[in-house]
Amino acid sequence: MSLTVQTVSTTPFADQKPGTSGLRKKVKVFQQTNYLENFVQSTFNAVGESVIKGGHLVLGGDGRYFNKHAVEVILKMSAANGVKKVTVGQHGIFSTPAVSATIRKLGASSGGIILTASHNPGGPDNDFGIKYNITNGGPAPEKITSAIFAQSKEIAEYKICPDLTVDVSKIGSCSLQIEGLSSFEVEIVDSCDIYVALMKEIFNFEQIESFLKNFKLNIDCLNGVTGPYAKRIFVKELKCDAKSVVNSESLEDFGGLHPDPNLTYAKSLLDMMKLGEHDFGAAFDGDGDRNMILGKNGFFVNPNDSLAVIAANQDCIPYFKNKAAAGFARSMPTGAAVDLVAQKKGKKCFEVPTGWKFFGNLMDAGLINLCGEESFGTGSDHIREKDGIWAALAWLQILSSQSAEKQSVEKVVRGHWNEFGRNFFTRYDYEEVESSAGAKVMSNVEQQLTSLKGQSFEAMGVKYTVALADNFSYKDPVDGSLTEKQGLRIVMMDGSRIIFRLSGTGSSGATIRLYVDCFSSDAELFDQDSVVLKPLVEIALKISDLVQVTGRQEPSVIT
Ligand code: VG1
Ligand code: CO
C-alpha cells in the first residue's frame, strides 16, 4: 500500500526571513498552524526540484523542545516532495558539526536540515530554529536564504504525506511507498559515529590520550546536544574519568541553562575552574558548534586568541600537516590576532561578514583551511560549520605537543602574546532592547559615518583619531557576490576599532553588539584589558548615545 500525498493550501507569513544562521523564533511562533510547514516548503521550493526530487537529505537537531515534532513533519514533507532518502540522527538528534560531517561523508545530494536555535535558550517558552545546509555541508549562502525568504512570501500550498510515521528511536532503515513517486527511504543512524571517526582521522588520539593521564579535564555540555559526543570522545576514546564531562544529558530545555559558552552563561564552569583542580575547561553551545576554552584557575582564552593560537600551532595537528598552502579567515568583528599569524607565515587572511556561511566558498576553493569568529566559533575545512569539540581537541593536541614545562593553557597563550603582541578585545551585548531603540542607536552612528573621519575623541586621558568609518561590505572573492551593510566600523589611526552591529539570531526585540579591539606589544599592559579597552568603550557609547537611547546602564553580557 502506498502513502497518499496531500497538497495543503496555506497563506504566507511575513516574518520568515532567515537571519545570521537560519530562522529563529519563539517556539510559540513555530507552533502556529502551517508556520513550520510553510518554511520547509519554501526551502524545498527555493532549493529547487532538481536538488530535492530523488535526492538524499540529512536531518536532525539539537534536541530542544519542538525538535521531535519538527522531525516528524519534515519527514512527511520530504517524502511528499519526492526526496529519495533521509538520513536522520537517532531520536532526531544531531549536533550541527555532525550534520555537516554527515552530509559530506554520505555525499547527501539534497544537503541537510538542522533544527536548532543554537545558543538561545530552549523549552516551550523559548526559542526554536531551522536552517538549511547545502551539499558542501555548510549553511546555505545568502543567494539561497534570500530565495527561501522570497518563496515564503508567496507560498500558497505545501505537500505532505500525513499518514507517514517513522520510529526514529531505533537505528536502522525502512522503505516506504509513496503515491505517484518512487520509494522513500529513512535511515536512522547513531549521530556520533561519522563525527567521531572524523575526529580520529584529524587528531592523534593516542598522543592526546597519553597526555590526558596527567591533565585533568572539565568539559561542560550545558545540557546541549554535545553530551553524547563528549562522552564518546573524552570518556570512551580518550579514557578520561566519567566525571570529566558534566551537564551531559541532552535536555529539551537544557535543564534551564542558557547554552551559550561565555563567561556569563557558563559561569559555573568558570567557578569550577577557579578552584584550581582542573587543567583544562571547555563548554559548548546548544547545537555544539561553539566553544569556550579555559585554563587552570579559570584562565580565559579569548576566542580571537584561540583562533590565532591554533593557527600558529597548526603543525601540531596531523590533519593540517599536508595542507600548508591554505590561508586563514575571520569575521570582520573578530580581533586581528590571526592576521598577525598569517603575516608571519606568509599566508593570506580573509575578512568576511559575521556568520559561518561566508567561509564556505573560501574553503571550497582551497583558499583557507582555518577560520573563526569572536563569538566563540572556531573551525577548519574538515567540515563547513564551526565545531566546538574539534576546537577543544585542537587545544589538547597543541598542549600535548608542547615541552613538559609549557603544557598549560595560560603558558601557551602568554607565549603567543610575547611572540606576536596582544590583540585586546571586548564585546558588549545589549540583549532584548526595544527594536526601535536598537534601530536608533544604529542610525545615530550611521549618520555620523561620513563626518567621523579625522575627528578626535578623548576618554580617560587617551586620544584617538578616526581614520575610517564605514558600513562593512564584502565581495566574495570566489563568486563575486556582494553583501552589504554588515556592521558599522570606526577604525582609529592606530588600528583600534569600534564596531556596532545588530544581532541576526535573536528572537525578540533587538540585540545590539558593540565590539571594541586594539593592539599592543607592550608586555606591561598584557594583564590590563580594561585599562586598554575602556577608553574606546567610552568613546563608542558617546558616539552612539547608547545609554540614553536604550536606558541600559550596563550590557547584558560582556565578553
Ligand atoms: C551570532 C554571532 C555570529 C555567529 C552566529 C551563529 O550572530 O555573532 O558570529 O555566527 O551567532 O552562531 P549574531 O547575528 O547574533 O551576531 V550559532 O552558534 O548561534 O549558530
Ligand atoms: Co551554535
Side-chain angles (χ1 to χ4, degrees):
M1 212 188 73
S2 66
L3 292 159
T4 354
V5 174
Q6 239 179 47
T7 302
V8 181
S9 299
T10 186
T11 48
F13 290 90
D15 63 347
Q16 298 198 323
K17 185 176 178 9
T20 312
S21 183
L23 182 72
R24 291 185 194 174
K25 300 281 174 197
K26 291 282 176 219
V27 166
K28 296 257 172 345
V29 174
F30 269 103
Q31 282 169 330
Q32 297 171 84
T33 307
N34 293 343
Y35 194 89
L36 172 69
E37 290 81 351
N38 273 21
F39 189 76
V40 172
Q41 189 65 53
S42 300
T43 301
F44 288 157
N45 294 348
V47 175
E49 213 178 69
S50 60
V51 176
I52 298 300
K53 209 163 177 183
H56 178 188
L57 191 74
V58 176
L59 173 64
D62 61 14
R64 68 178 63 222
Y65 186 80
F66 206 64
N67 188 122
K68 238 192 208 149
H69 172 72
V71 166
E72 283 168 19
V73 169
I74 295 167
L75 284 174
K76 290 179 206 277
M77 291 185 67
S78 302
N81 279 275
V83 174
K84 178 106 184 77
K85 178 175 173 179
V86 182
T87 298
V88 195
Q90 191 181 14
H91 305 295
I93 294 180
F94 249 133
S95 76
T96 292
V99 171
S100 188
T102 305
I103 294 172
R104 294 171 69 77
K105 178 76 185 175
L106 303 180
S109 59
S110 303
I113 293 180
I114 309 182
L115 306 165
T116 174
S118 190
H119 57 285
N120 300 8
D125 297 320
N126 285 307
D127 290 5
F128 185 73
I130 172 166
K131 73 172 180 174
Y132 177 71
N133 279 30
I134 57 174
T135 51
N136 74 354
E142 294 267 295
K143 203 173 81 191
I144 295 179
T145 54
S146 321
I148 295 174
F149 184 43
Q151 288 288 337
S152 78
K153 287 190 285 193
E154 286 175 4
I155 190 164
E157 58 184 39
Y158 64 82
K159 287 191 187 138
I160 191 159
C161 288
D163 302 326
L164 181 144
T165 51
V166 179
D167 178 3
V168 295
S169 70
K170 292 193 188 73
I171 289 174
S173 287
C174 65
S175 182
L176 299 152
Q177 201 54 49
I178 312 296
E179 176 194 35
L181 293 162
S182 60
S183 61
F184 175 64
E185 190 191 338
V186 181
E187 178 190 36
I188 295 125
V189 297
D190 178 325
S191 62
C192 295
D193 285 349
I194 287 178
Y195 181 80
V196 174
L198 179 61
M199 292 303 115
K200 290 173 82 170
E201 278 170 29
I202 293 172
F203 299 105
N204 179 341
F205 268 47
E206 288 79 43
Q207 186 184 327
I208 299 176
E209 183 188 328
S210 104
F211 170 67
L212 289 178
K213 290 201 166 82
N214 298 305
F215 202 79
K216 230 175 139 196
L217 300 189
N218 191 357
I219 305 288
D220 192 339
C221 300
L222 297 172
N223 295 325
V225 74
T226 48
Y229 298 84
K231 283 189 271 193
R232 266 279 282 276
I233 290 177
F234 297 106
V235 181
K236 186 158 175 248
E237 296 286 343
L238 296 169
K239 316 264 181 340
C240 295
D241 190 301
K243 286 200 289 272
S244 319
V245 181
V246 301
N247 292 321
S248 59
E249 293 305 317
S250 306
L251 300 175
E252 281 199 330
D253 64 349
F254 308 118
L257 298 180
H258 189 147
D260 196 353
N262 59 38
L263 294 171
T264 303
Y265 298 126
K267 187 169 176 300
S268 60
L269 174 68
L270 179 67
D271 292 343
M272 277 292 286
M273 292 301 296
K274 280 186 179 161
L275 298 176
E277 289 164 13
H278 300 90
D279 300 294
F280 181 91
F284 313 114
D285 71 338
D287 63 327
D289 54 357
R290 295 186 179 203
N291 74 92
M292 175 170 77
I293 305 291
L294 299 173
K296 203 179 179 97
N297 304 317
F299 182 85
F300 171 65
V301 183
N302 188 286
N304 310 294
D305 284 338
S306 180
L307 173 63
V309 165
I310 297 174
N313 295 281
Q314 244 187 338
D315 294 345
C316 303
I317 299 168
Y319 176 82
F320 290 122
K321 284 211 172 111
N322 305 320
K323 296 192 141 211
F328 308 133
R330 60 168 171 82
S331 66
M332 182 274 281
T334 302
V338 67
D339 301 40
L340 300 177
V341 179
Q343 228 169 51
K344 190 156 186 179
K345 291 188 176 246
K347 294 187 184 206
K348 226 177 147 160
C349 192
F350 296 84
E351 185 180 40
V352 308
T354 295
W356 212 260
K357 59 189 165 200
F358 296 102
F359 294 124
N361 272 350
L362 300 175
M363 291 187 186
D364 288 350
L367 294 171
I368 62 164
N369 64 11
L370 181 70
C371 54
E373 295 189 279
E374 47 62 44
S375 53
F376 298 87
T378 331
S380 92
D381 66 345
H382 65 289
I383 53 171
R384 294 294 179 274
E385 290 277 7
K386 53 190 185 269
D387 190 344
I389 290 183
W390 172 91
L393 288 169
W395 265 92
L396 293 174
Q397 189 88 77
I398 290 167
L399 288 163
S400 69
S401 307
Q402 307 300 309
S403 55
E405 72 283 2
K406 286 202 195 128
Q407 290 179 334
S408 120
V409 173
E410 179 165 355
K411 281 186 185 154
V412 167
V413 173
R414 289 194 183 278
H416 188 90
W417 294 343
N418 287 335
E419 183 177 351
F420 294 93
R422 177 164 186 204
N423 288 79
F424 296 83
F425 176 92
T426 188
R427 182 174 111 177
Y428 282 31
D429 294 327
Y430 298 83
E431 293 176 348
E432 298 193 19
V433 166
E434 255 184 63
S435 300
S436 57
K440 179 81 172 80
V441 169
M442 294 301 282
S443 73
N444 278 353
V445 180
E446 198 161 10
Q447 276 163 16
Q448 299 173 61
L449 286 180
T450 47
S451 58
L452 277 171
K453 193 173 164 181
Q455 277 191 52
S456 295
F457 295 89
E458 205 177 311
M460 305 166 85
V462 193
K463 190 171 153 193
Y464 288 99
T465 304
V466 177
L468 166 96
D470 70 355
N471 199 337
F472 180 68
S473 71
Y474 173 67
K475 188 164 179 215
D476 185 306
V478 179
D479 66 14
S481 60
L482 188 69
T483 310
E484 292 176 297
K485 302 198 172 127
Q486 294 299 304
L488 307 174
R489 267 196 311 192
I490 303 168
V491 186
M492 306 300 179
M493 290 294 196
D494 70 345
S496 302
R497 299 186 307 166
I498 293 169
I499 295 152
F500 287 93
R501 258 189 84 245
L502 287 182
S503 155
T505 57
S507 63
S508 56
T511 292
I512 306 168
R513 302 205 196 284
L514 161 61
Y515 313 77
V516 166
D517 77 298
C518 63
F519 173 82
S520 174
S521 53
D522 179 356
E524 303 263 296
L525 292 174
F526 285 172
D527 285 312
Q528 306 198 36
D529 308 41
S530 64
V531 174
V532 175
L533 293 164
K534 205 73 203 202
L536 284 160
V537 171
E538 296 225 334
I539 292 168
L541 295 178
K542 187 168 159 218
I543 292 176
S544 61
D545 202 18
L546 187 145
V547 174
Q548 187 70 25
V549 174
T550 61
R552 297 281 179 93
Q553 295 298 324
E554 298 293 334
S556 336
V557 177
I558 297 183
T559 298

